[in-house]
Amino acid sequence: MKRVFSGVQPTGNIHLGNYLGALKQFVELQKDHECIYCIVDEHAITVPQDPKELQQHILDVAALYMAVGVDPKKSIIFVQSSVSGHAELGWVLCCNSYTGELFRMTQFKAKSGGKESVGTGLLTYPVLMAADILLYDTDVVPVGNDQKQHIELCRDIAIRVNHKYKDTFVVPDGRFMKSGARIMALDDPTQKMSKSAINVHSRISLLDEDNKIKKSIMRATTDSDGEIRFDPENKPGVSNLLNIYSAFSGESVEDIAARFAGKGYGDLKKEVVAATQDALRPIKDNYAQIRESDELKAVLRDGADRANAIAEKTMKRVREKFGLGI
Ligand code: AMP
Ligand code: TRP
């Protein structure tokens, strides 16, 4: 069985983009893969976090993983900082990556944009992500499109180390959804939907009430030509709605557009509202139950033990290859 690894940062406001780009894949892959899903708290602290809030957000994401259908009996669910191999391998990989390739990362450029003092962690973050993946001999990494460049870097580092130290790491592949890989902000479809945008109507959070879902989608930015057609470049707003609908229904964006020929944007929006409300309802119901249960922390402890057993084997191999320790 092939091994899957992915992670989500515990930073609140998990949204439709996270779900359609990543979490939905997590659930699908469980059927025929050995899956490891991480809550990457060490990534979250690349920017300042309130410690109390971070603790809550870790449990929120763990509960959401389970609420969308990740089954802790099938998959490993754990918190990154409970397995020390992530930080340890992160350092080893830092010594095998170049500052030049890290400065070229578009996410780093966007997050550091023009500032004088930028945290070192923000720069080395993709190396820690590579460590997360390589620590588990991962074959497949389900993520949204925004992580493509980071996956490429991970592959480059793995190939580089394999060259120098002989077969040390499995070289992983990214896995991206056809329709959900890049969900755009509803208020500005030229930007990706994000957890941190100030306007709450830019995103649908997975726990949003039906009324909020309706409001955000009905006021989503479109355009003035009135034609329902999939054309991300010229019609980003309408194309984003078609993408969301397609990701929920499995119908292609072209087929959906054809079905709506001659109808107005309002008609399309109403169906997107209904599809979103229907999809999120069971997730919200499950979440409320799981988040309050005592089982949650036990799942994370068990997950950490299972993850650590795999990670330790890799670290033993890495230490030997690099001549570390005695
Ligand atoms: P993050 O919230 O940055 O930890 O992202 C968690 C997962 O969601 C990653 O696999 C991201 O690539 C994915 N993701 C984040 N934003 C979007 C988006 N707007 N559309 C699709 N996938 C996304
Ligand atoms: N960098 C990813 C994001 O911001 C989260 C992440 C950290 C991740 N480590 C990972 C995703 C390992 C996949 C595999 O979305």
Side-chain angles (χ1 to χ4, degrees):
M1 252 204 302
K2 290 206 163 168
R3 192 174 280 157
V4 168
F5 181 95
S6 194
V8 173
Q9 296 194 49
T11 40
N13 290 330
I14 303 287
H15 53 67
L16 212 53
N18 299 131
Y19 178 64
L20 296 175
L23 294 172
K24 209 158 165 277
Q25 302 197 66
F26 293 10
V27 180
E28 285 169 15
L29 285 164
Q30 285 182 121
K31 274 182 267 148
D32 44 10
H33 291 74
E34 182 188 352
C35 298
I36 307 176
Y37 298 125
C38 188
I39 298 141
V40 289
D41 55 347
E42 290 170 339
H43 282 268
I45 60 165
T46 52
V47 295
Q49 299 289 341
D50 176 82
K52 284 211 178 73
E53 267 180 31
L54 183 58
Q55 287 280 296
Q56 293 308 313
H57 286 155
I58 289 171
L59 295 172
D60 295 346
V61 173
L64 264 179
Y65 275 176
M66 287 162 69
V68 300
V70 177
D71 178 354
K73 289 197 190 76
K74 288 190 194 144
S75 303
I76 296 177
I77 303 176
F78 79 107
V79 182
Q80 184 183 29
S81 62
S82 7
V83 175
S84 61
H86 292 260
E88 186 181 356
L89 185 58
W91 176 253
V92 173
L93 299 186
C94 263
C95 299
N96 285 273
S97 55
Y98 300 111
T99 52
E101 58 192 357
L102 300 184
F103 279 117
R104 275 198 297 277
M105 294 289 124
T106 51
Q107 202 172 70
F108 172 74
K109 286 190 208 164
K111 286 199 175 179
S112 62
K115 276 179 252 159
E116 275 283 300
S117 53
V118 175
T120 311
L122 219 47
L123 179 67
T124 57
Y125 157 114
V127 183
L128 182 59
M129 176 166 163
D132 299 340
I133 296 167
L134 300 180
L135 189 57
Y136 297 95
D137 292 334
T138 303
D139 300 292
V140 183
V141 188
V143 278
N145 243 350
D146 61 338
Q147 298 301 314
K148 221 171 210 169
Q149 207 184 18
H150 294 161
I151 303 281
E152 272 311 307
L153 179 80
C154 172
R155 290 171 55 86
D156 288 347
I157 295 174
I159 291 167
R160 186 178 300 150
V161 170
N162 284 348
H163 248 291
K164 237 171 151 177
Y165 298 90
K166 301 283 177 293
D167 298 333
T168 308
F169 295 127
V170 172
V171 181
D173 286 307
R175 185 179 189 273
F176 308 91
M177 294 299 266
K178 192 156 181 276
S179 304
R182 191 170 173 81
I183 300 298
M184 309 308 283
L186 295 170
D187 63 335
D188 177 3
T190 62
Q191 304 293 319
K192 69 172 182 179
M193 187 176 283
S194 88
K195 291 168 169 173
S196 56
I198 291 162
N199 182 1
V200 292
H201 292 295
S202 68
R203 66 182 157 261
I204 307 284
S205 293
L206 293 193
L207 302 177
D208 275 351
E209 298 295 338
D210 278 357
N211 248 342
K212 155 71 174 61
I213 295 173
K214 186 173 170 190
K215 244 188 209 157
S216 300
I217 293 175
M218 293 312 288
R219 64 168 68 174
T221 302
T222 48
D223 54 55
S224 55
D225 88 350
E227 194 193 340
I228 296 179
R229 167 163 58 84
F230 188 71
D231 178 354
E233 199 160 311
N234 299 306
K235 297 173 70 67
V238 172
S239 302
N240 192 35
L241 293 172
L242 288 169
N243 249 337
I244 293 172
Y245 194 76
S246 163
F248 279 131
S249 67
E251 203 180 349
S252 75
V253 285
E254 290 79 14
D255 285 355
I256 301 166
R259 204 152 51 72
F260 277 95
K263 294 194 180 162
Y265 293 162
D267 299 311
L268 173 64
K269 284 179 170 179
K270 272 186 207 151
E271 286 213 28
V272 177
V273 169
T276 307
Q277 288 173 337
D278 288 349
L280 298 194
R281 203 164 295 128
I283 296 176
K284 283 184 282 190
D285 291 347
N286 293 341
Y287 177 83
Q289 237 185 358
I290 297 164
R291 183 65 176 81
E292 295 313 315
S293 83
D294 299 332
E295 190 207 357
L296 194 55
K297 283 188 179 167
V299 164
L300 293 175
R301 274 195 297 271
D302 173 61
D305 288 344
R306 288 156 70 195
N308 199 47
I310 303 171
E312 260 315 304
K313 275 193 202 152
T314 310
M315 283 320 299
K316 188 167 179 285
R317 187 170 78 229
V318 168
R319 290 183 206 112
E320 275 169 17
K321 293 269 186 193
F322 282 77
L324 292 167
I326 46 161

